[in-house]
Amino acid sequence: MFKKWGLLATSAVMAFALAGCGGKSGSESGGGSASSPASSASSSAPASDAGSGETVTLKFLNISEYLDSAEFKAFLERFEAKYPNIKVDPISVPHEQYINKRNIMLASGEQVDLLWGNGVEQFDAINKGFLMPLDDAAKEAGIDMSKDFGDFKPDKDGKYYRFPIQQNNWMLYYNKKAFDDAGVPYPDPKVPMTWDEMADVAQKITNTSGKDKVYGMFYNNWGMYFYGYGSQLNNGKFYTDDGKANINAPEFKRSLEWMNDVMNVKKAAMPIAEFIQNNTDFLSYWNGGYGMVVGAQWYAQLAATKKDKFPRDWKAGIAPMPVPKEMAGKHMNWSSIDSLA
Amino acid sequence: MILAQEYVSDYTLSTGALPMYTKVNKDKYYEDLANALKDDGITLEQVTYLFGGDPNVINVEEKPVLGAPQEYESTFLDIISQYYTGAKTVDEVLNEVKEKVDAAIEEQKNQ
């Protein structure tokens, strides 16, 4: 919730956020209720009191991939039909422009009531004082932030600033044709490869001699592709106990060195200069020139629902995300909570 | 409330991620996804196991989210490319990242 417009936003935040409360209001049938969370929450917001008949418009900043979806539009129709005095004005921004747009809006004081963001983006806004704590508003609406969302801890100084929505599920995606062409067996569907094994397999699959280059491994120019192996090693200890950056810890160094081995020694991933020069992005994986990529659920969603946009003549496979040899046999995930604030 | 729940369900369907604390029909979600991927030879069992159905999965932080998180990420990405192009050693880039991120953390504390 953007600090400047906190009160106005309260009703909608509660309405959205109560999605996570799993039937707390008892309104399970989907029918209207005089004590529905939105109307309860509205009572804490004088300007938007549901009973006053006054219509409020709430600006909801989110990425286009969500807001432009048919599912969201359908949701919006239903939401506004049920809460006719709350209008939602979606501000749709393409994913690659989202952070810049969001930062500009926040820094300039432009009105926005609801913000989607991943952990980095939301904590950045919290630290910079752009968001307001939700504790009081949640209390008025009858939401127990410490229980209604499971084991969700306060964000800063014992206060909550956001409502969790979802957690990513990361896994290994692979191109079966690239494996077949190289005569390499597919990854085990249950037992993860170690990162060292993945590097070796990537090297075997790589074939950059022909017209159509195949790199054994694809990566994105996102942090976790470089430090994520280290996070698995030290349980995500990105900060020292006194709150400083822990990025020079041995685990992260090993993580970066692993990537260097794959990219520059084994030559099994695109050199970073070429990656940046080509404007490669995470969708580039689908052009078929790569053997494996670690990716979250959105890759599968794209493979499942966007076959027309990303046509391919090869089959995809999925397997658990690679792990350090110290964690061999364990199923691991990089956890990031997307939330509304 | 139910409409809000529908929002999360719609959100789920549009992004492929299950909501954390809202009851949705996960089985149907897994079945639909597996069905859409059956031409790839991907099975319902695989989808269920990898898309949140394994209670034993070990979660670790995906990225730094506490002090100066955006500066942490952007500084990291800006600087480490110098290691991968051979311009600097891994120790040099990591120490440089740390120095700049520590400064950003300190600056935010003082704001």
Side-chain angles (χ1 to χ4, degrees):
Chain A
M1 194 184 310
F2 188 34
K3 192 178 269 182
K4 184 177 175 184
W5 292 87
L7 287 177
L8 185 64
T10 299
S11 60
V13 167
M14 292 307 161
F16 280 105
L18 280 164
C21 296
K24 194 171 188 298
S25 75
S27 180
E28 294 288 348
S29 67
S33 165
S35 59
S36 67
S39 55
S40 300
S42 295
S43 66
S44 67
S48 59
D49 189 326
S52 71
E54 185 179 345
T55 298
V56 294
T57 300
L58 301 168
K59 292 194 174 183
F60 181 20
L61 179 64
N62 204 330
I63 63 175
S64 305
E65 285 76 1
Y66 300 162
L67 292 188
D68 294 350
S69 68
E71 290 88 353
F72 179 78
K73 288 171 183 170
F75 158 75
L76 205 54
E77 281 183 17
R78 292 194 296 274
F79 180 81
E80 292 185 340
K82 181 156 187 176
Y83 299 93
N85 60 339
I86 301 175
K87 300 294 179 195
V88 179
D89 177 14
I91 305 171
S92 175
V93 183
H95 184 264
E96 62 275 15
Q97 300 168 20
Y98 184 73
I99 294 175
N100 284 343
K101 171 81 174 176
R102 180 187 148 111
N103 285 345
I104 290 167
M105 290 181 76
L106 290 176
S108 66
E110 189 173 340
Q111 178 190 341
V112 55
D113 303 294
L114 285 173
L115 293 157
W116 173 88
N118 62 31
V120 169
E121 292 151 3
Q122 303 293 43
F123 270 89
D124 181 69
I126 293 168
N127 290 343
K128 289 175 178 169
F130 291 137
L131 303 180
M132 64 175 288
L134 300 170
D135 304 68
D136 291 344
K139 195 174 176 183
E140 281 191 49
I143 297 172
D144 187 338
M145 293 295 292
S146 67
K147 291 181 182 168
D148 293 346
F149 297 100
D151 186 23
F152 188 57
K153 301 282 191 298
D155 297 309
K156 188 177 183 184
D157 300 331
K159 295 184 183 302
Y160 290 93
Y161 290 79
R162 60 194 179 126
F163 296 96
I165 303 173
Q166 67 173 38
Q167 180 173 296
N168 286 336
N169 291 307
W170 289 83
M171 65 201 77
L172 180 76
Y173 294 87
Y174 60 93
N175 175 339
K176 291 180 177 177
K177 182 175 183 301
F179 275 73
D180 291 342
D181 289 348
V184 175
Y186 299 152
D188 190 282
K190 274 282 183 72
V191 181
M193 284 191 282
T194 65
W195 290 105
D196 291 339
E197 288 168 343
M198 183 190 184
D200 289 339
V201 169
Q203 188 175 29
K204 287 176 187 166
I205 292 171
T206 298
N207 183 354
T208 54
S209 60
K211 183 169 69 89
D212 299 319
K213 285 183 182 177
V214 174
Y215 284 108
M217 191 187 81
F218 181 78
Y219 62 96
N220 294 310
N221 195 22
W222 300 344
M224 71 285 285
Y225 287 89
F226 302 94
Y227 54 53
Y229 171 2
S231 179
Q232 290 179 327
L233 281 166
N234 67 11
N235 197 23
K237 193 170 173 55
F238 287 101
Y239 296 89
T240 58
D241 292 341
D242 61 352
K244 303 288 188 187
N246 192 40
I247 196 65
N248 59 343
E251 296 86 359
F252 293 121
K253 179 180 175 182
R254 179 170 146 190
S255 189
L256 265 69
E257 287 175 330
W258 175 86
M259 178 60 102
N260 187 59
D261 179 61
V262 176
M263 187 191 298
N264 292 325
V265 179
K266 292 186 167 63
K267 314 278 187 193
M270 184 182 286
I272 200 161
E274 188 180 338
F275 185 102
I276 294 169
Q277 203 169 25
N278 292 349
N279 291 321
T280 311
D281 68 16
F282 74 101
L283 297 174
S284 303
Y285 175 71
W286 295 104
N287 73 23
Y290 307 93
M292 297 175 281
V293 64
V294 174
Q297 66 284 334
W298 56 74
Y299 269 121
Q301 199 68 9
L302 285 170
T305 63
K306 306 288 184 190
K307 290 176 181 171
D308 53 334
K309 198 171 175 187
F310 302 102
R312 56 191 163 91
D313 60 358
W314 49 276
K315 295 184 188 305
I318 53 175
M321 186 168 76
V323 297
K325 63 185 176 189
E326 292 87 340
M327 301 296 285
K330 307 283 188 187
H331 184 192
M332 299 191 79
N333 183 41
W334 290 327
S335 168
S336 172
I337 295 173
D338 293 343
S339 61
L340 287 180
Chain B
M1 172 107 172
I2 293 299
L3 273 163
Q5 281 185 313
E6 284 179 27
Y7 163 70
V8 174
S9 294
D10 287 343
Y11 183 96
T12 298
L13 294 172
S14 63
T15 65
L18 289 167
M20 294 177 68
Y21 304 119
T22 302
K23 300 296 180 193
V24 295
N25 189 341
K26 291 185 181 181
D27 289 343
K28 182 176 184 315
Y29 167 70
Y30 293 142
E31 283 168 15
D32 288 347
L33 190 56
N35 192 45
L37 297 171
K38 67 181 178 188
D39 290 346
D40 287 295
I42 292 173
T43 66
L44 175 60
E45 185 189 8
Q46 287 177 300
V47 168
T48 304
Y49 183 69
L50 295 173
F51 284 78
D54 176 14
N56 298 316
V57 67
I58 300 168
N59 290 301
V60 298
E61 285 287 347
E62 178 184 300
K63 53 188 85 164
V65 296
L66 299 176
Q70 216 161 87
E71 288 78 3
Y72 204 137
E73 184 81 355
S74 58
T75 302
F76 176 82
L77 290 172
D78 281 348
I79 292 175
I80 62 156
S81 60
Q82 297 174 72
Y83 168 51
Y84 293 107
T85 58
K88 290 185 177 175
T89 68
V90 66
D91 288 322
E92 284 172 335
V93 296
L94 288 178
N95 287 333
E96 194 175 334
V97 173
K98 177 175 170 50
E99 190 180 320
K100 292 191 173 180
V101 175
D102 282 349
I105 291 171
E106 198 59 33
E107 188 179 332
Q108 286 194 5
K109 270 187 192 167
N110 297 328
Q111 277 179 349

